[in-house]
Amino acid sequence: MTDDPPVVVKIGGAKAVDPAGAVGDVAHLVANGRSVVVVHGGSTVVDETIERLGMEPEYVESASGVTGRFTDADTMEAFTMAMAGKLNTELTALFRSAGVDAVGLSGVDGGLLSGPRKSAIRVVEDGKRKIKRGEHSGRIESVDTGLLAGLLADGYTPVVSPPMAGEEGDGEVTPVNTDADRAAAAVAGALDAELVLLTDVAGVYADPDDPETLIESAATPAELAAVEEAAEGFMGKKVLAATEALEGGSPRVVVADANVRDPIVAALGGSGTTIERSALGDEVEDAAGRSGSDDGGETA
């Protein structure tokens, strides 16, 4: 093993994200002694699975303005089929084909990712705030770092996907949806690992419609505020995940393009948008206060 901190790599689940470059990079890093944990999303395949089952994907806007998937009981069944059953298995096979001793895990396995289930969420519909019930999502409050550390020490590379272990009030545990970016953030924070969020754009743009306005770094609270203001749509949740990772203990987070050559190595070398832990300023001492968002699940 190297003296470098572990790295958590989140591979986006949108159709525009090609995992091939990330697979090759993880193989390179692991072969050179770097500890890597992979977390993946799967929004496109989940939607396709839902549609094949004759249902319509449903997305809602939270009270805080973030768009997320609404996961009722039927959607949760399709979600688990697509994420843990199909995508996690296929991605684990890709890594093993590349020489990586990968182990596929959902957040339910070993209680890897756990927290309370949310059965209702606050949403905004037609400009009005409402309570929408029947939700199957959760907020991660615990990461089993012992499980991950044990696998890494034995030379394995964990490949992690939602669902997480949702804890009901009566002590029952059920699989529930959780956002894959924020799952990666929770893992990175718990392991004090660097986090690379791979997506289908080069990073955060000051003008979301102009790739020439890439924000390369944020190392102060003012610079982080500018990144948060510029982040729109799906990028807003990635920046939220970045701050959660930094609050949890990650030294830096990079939002970068999955589709360039050597995407992880490039991100760790300075491409994309790098957010340093120093960007939290005094807030780094008050991490617990910002983790209670009531946003719905999303698997980008």
Side-chain angles (χ1 to χ4, degrees):
M1 294 291 178
T2 69
D3 292 331
D4 294 318
V7 58
V8 174
V9 178
K10 193 281 181 162
I11 301 176
K15 185 175 288 186
V17 173
D18 183 353
V23 170
D25 259 6
V26 170
H28 168 76
L29 290 169
V30 170
N32 284 277
R34 191 79 180 265
S35 293
V36 181
V37 176
V38 177
V39 180
H40 70 85
S43 56
T44 299
V45 173
V46 171
D47 283 347
E48 291 172 348
T49 302
I50 289 170
E51 290 166 356
R52 282 202 300 271
L53 294 173
M55 302 181 291
E56 286 292 328
E58 183 178 2
Y59 288 87
V60 294
E61 181 184 347
S62 73
S64 58
V66 177
T67 299
R69 182 188 303 279
F70 181 75
T71 314
D72 61 15
D74 290 337
T75 300
M76 190 64 227
E77 185 175 351
F79 177 89
T80 303
M81 290 167 55
M83 292 292 289
K86 177 179 171 62
L87 282 170
N88 189 263
T89 301
E90 291 179 347
L91 191 56
T92 299
L94 282 177
F95 280 112
R96 295 194 67 84
S97 296
V100 177
D101 207 354
V103 175
L105 298 165
S106 81
V108 178
D109 296 322
L112 176 58
L113 306 175
S114 61
R117 175 197 164 187
K118 293 184 291 186
S119 60
I121 55 174
R122 299 181 182 89
V123 301
V124 177
E125 293 181 358
D126 301 323
K128 297 180 180 179
R129 295 191 175 196
K130 301 179 180 180
I131 299 294
K132 193 170 179 68
R133 304 189 185 279
E135 171 74 337
H136 289 68
S137 68
R139 183 178 71 251
I140 297 169
E141 290 189 349
S142 176
V143 177
D144 189 338
T145 53
L147 175 57
L148 294 175
L151 289 169
L152 292 169
D154 287 340
Y156 293 105
T157 296
V159 180
V160 180
S161 77
M164 62 172 277
E167 300 166 349
E168 306 278 359
D170 58 3
E172 182 182 358
V173 173
T174 58
V176 297
N177 185 7
T178 191
D179 174 63
D181 286 314
R182 296 174 76 180
V187 172
L191 293 176
D192 295 335
E194 296 183 311
L195 173 60
V196 177
L197 298 170
L198 293 177
T199 184
D200 58 355
V201 294
V204 183
Y205 303 147
D207 177 352
D209 297 320
D210 185 359
E212 298 298 319
T213 64
L214 174 70
I215 301 173
E216 295 185 354
S217 64
T220 67
E223 290 170 343
L224 176 58
V227 169
E228 292 174 327
E229 183 176 356
E232 293 184 355
F234 76 95
M235 191 59 75
K237 190 161 281 190
K238 293 187 185 302
V239 173
L240 172 62
T243 60
E244 290 177 349
L246 296 168
E247 289 166 348
S250 178
R252 65 168 171 158
V253 179
V254 187
V255 181
D257 192 345
N259 300 321
V260 300
R261 182 176 179 179
D262 303 328
I264 302 169
V265 172
L268 295 173
S271 71
T273 299
T274 299
I275 306 174
E276 303 286 351
R277 196 159 190 250
S278 59
L280 296 180
D282 293 339
E283 294 182 28
V284 76
E285 303 298 333
D286 189 31
R290 296 184 54 172
S291 62
S293 171
D294 194 34
D295 301 332
E298 167 68 28
T299 55

